[in-house]
Amino acid sequence: MVTEMTFTLHPQLAADTLHIADLAACRVLLMNNSNFPWLILVPMRENLREIFDLGADDYRLVMDEVKNIAEKFAAFTKADKINVAALGNMVPQLHIHIIARYANDAAWPNPVWNSGVTGKPYDPQKAKSIIKELKEIF
Amino acid sequence: MVTEMTFTLHPQLAADTLHIADLAACRVLLMNNSNFPWLILVPMRENLREIFDLGADDYRLVMDEVKNIAEKFAAFTKADKINVAALGNMVPQLHIHIIARYANDAAWPNPVWNSGVTGKPYDPQKAKSIIKELKEIF
C-alpha cells in the first residue's frame, strides 16, 4: 500500500493523538488521554470513510494489522478486555479504535465514548516512554 | 468453519436479538431495538472473547463477512454512517455490532451504547418483514 505520499491525517485526529508508528497499511496513534490506554489505527489512504471503502487486499492488510496490534496491546496493557471499533460519526476519515479496558477503569462497563469521563492528556515524559515501548513492540 | 454443532449463543444475545441467518462463519442477528437498524454478528465457535482469539483463517472469514454484511446493510438502510464494533464489556461472547446511523437518529453523533435512548422492541410484523428482506440480501 504505497499511498503515504498522498495521505493526510485528519486535523482532529492529529490534534487528539501522538504518533507511534507507520505500519504497511495503517498509521498507529496513541490517543492523548491517560484515562484509557487507547490506540487509533488510520489506514494511510485517501477518501476512506467506511471499512468497506477498502478494496479486498487493503482490507485484509488493515484487518490483519488490527488483529496483530490489538493482541500485542492487550499483552502490553494487561487489559481485561480490548474494545475495537470503527465509528466515525464525528471524524469522517476511516479510523479504528483499539482500547484497553479494565474492570476498574473510569467508564467500565460502558464504552469510553460519551462516558462522561473528561479527557486527561499524558504527562509528556510518560507519553514519550509509552511510545518508545510501543514502538519496540509493534 | 464446521463448528455450529458445538456453538451456543450467549443467553443475553439470544434475549436481545432476532435471528436472521447463519453464514459460513457468523450468525447474523437483528438487535430488537427499533431505534437503530442494528445487526450483531457472532462467530459460531466456542470460547471466543477477543477478535484475536480467532485463528488466522477464521479471522479472515469473519472479517470478510463483516465487510460484506456492513456494505449490504448500508445500502439496505441508506445509512449516513455504519458503526462497526467489538466491545464485549458486558457480554463475554465475541460479537460484532454493525449499526446503521443517521445524522438525525436519537443518539447521533454519539455511539448508540450508553446514549440514554431507551430500547424499543420492533412491532413483531415489522420485524418479520425486515428479517425477510435481510435474509434475501445476505
Side-chain angles (χ1 to χ4, degrees):
Chain A
M1 198 192 269
V2 184
T3 55
E4 207 179 338
M5 282 188 302
T6 60
F7 169 74
T8 308
L9 187 65
H10 189 284
Q12 189 64 53
L13 293 176
D16 293 345
T17 65
L18 303 165
H19 185 266
I20 301 174
D22 284 1
L23 307 178
C26 294
R27 178 158 296 174
V28 185
L29 303 164
L30 178 69
M31 188 70 128
N32 193 8
N33 181 350
S34 62
N35 291 314
F36 309 102
W38 183 343
L39 304 177
I40 294 186
L41 268 62
V42 187
M44 292 181 289
R45 189 181 269 285
E46 294 293 329
N47 301 318
L48 297 175
R49 195 155 166 264
E50 300 284 2
I51 57 166
F52 49 82
D53 292 338
L54 286 159
D57 291 347
D58 283 349
Y59 180 74
R60 289 200 161 184
L61 199 54
V62 167
M63 287 302 145
D64 285 352
E65 288 183 355
V66 167
K67 180 176 192 262
N68 183 40
I69 293 293
E71 186 159 21
K72 288 177 171 169
F73 196 53
F76 176 75
T77 58
K78 299 183 177 63
D80 295 323
K81 187 71 191 72
I82 295 290
N83 292 171
V84 180
L87 304 178
N89 302 345
M90 300 202 192
V91 173
Q93 184 174 58
L94 179 62
H95 60 286
I96 299 142
H97 301 269
I98 299 180
I99 308 159
R101 303 298 310 275
Y102 303 94
N104 64 352
D105 74 29
W108 186 269
N110 291 314
V112 297
W113 313 277
N114 196 30
S115 65
V117 181
T118 309
K120 196 176 111 193
Y122 283 100
D123 167 83
Q125 283 307 311
K126 178 72 180 166
K128 209 172 155 183
S129 125
I130 292 170
I131 288 167
K132 186 168 176 286
E133 284 186 83
L134 290 175
K135 264 183 207 288
E136 282 163 20
I137 296 167
F138 300 158
Chain B
M1 199 193 267
V2 184
T3 55
E4 206 180 339
M5 282 189 303
T6 60
F7 169 74
T8 309
L9 186 65
H10 188 284
Q12 188 64 53
L13 293 176
D16 293 345
T17 66
L18 303 165
H19 185 266
I20 299 174
D22 285 1
L23 307 178
C26 293
R27 180 160 295 174
V28 185
L29 303 164
L30 177 69
M31 189 69 128
N32 193 8
N33 180 349
S34 62
N35 291 314
F36 309 102
W38 183 341
L39 304 177
I40 294 186
L41 267 62
V42 188
M44 293 182 288
R45 188 181 269 283
E46 295 293 330
N47 300 317
L48 298 175
R49 195 155 167 266
E50 300 284 3
I51 56 165
F52 49 81
D53 293 337
L54 286 160
D57 290 348
D58 283 348
Y59 180 75
R60 289 201 163 184
L61 199 53
V62 167
M63 287 303 144
D64 285 352
E65 288 183 357
V66 166
K67 181 176 190 264
N68 184 38
I69 294 294
E71 187 160 20
K72 287 176 171 169
F73 196 53
F76 176 74
T77 58
K78 299 182 178 64
D80 294 323
K81 185 72 190 72
I82 295 290
N83 292 172
V84 179
L87 304 178
N89 302 344
M90 299 201 192
V91 173
Q93 184 174 60
L94 179 62
H95 59 286
I96 299 141
H97 301 267
I98 299 179
I99 309 159
R101 302 299 308 276
Y102 302 93
N104 65 350
D105 73 30
W108 186 269
N110 291 315
V112 297
W113 313 277
N114 195 30
S115 66
V117 181
T118 310
K120 196 175 110 193
Y122 283 99
D123 168 84
Q125 283 308 312
K126 177 73 180 163
K128 208 172 156 182
S129 126
I130 292 171
I131 289 168
K132 184 168 178 286
E133 285 186 82
L134 289 175
K135 264 183 207 288
E136 281 162 22
I137 296 167
F138 299 159

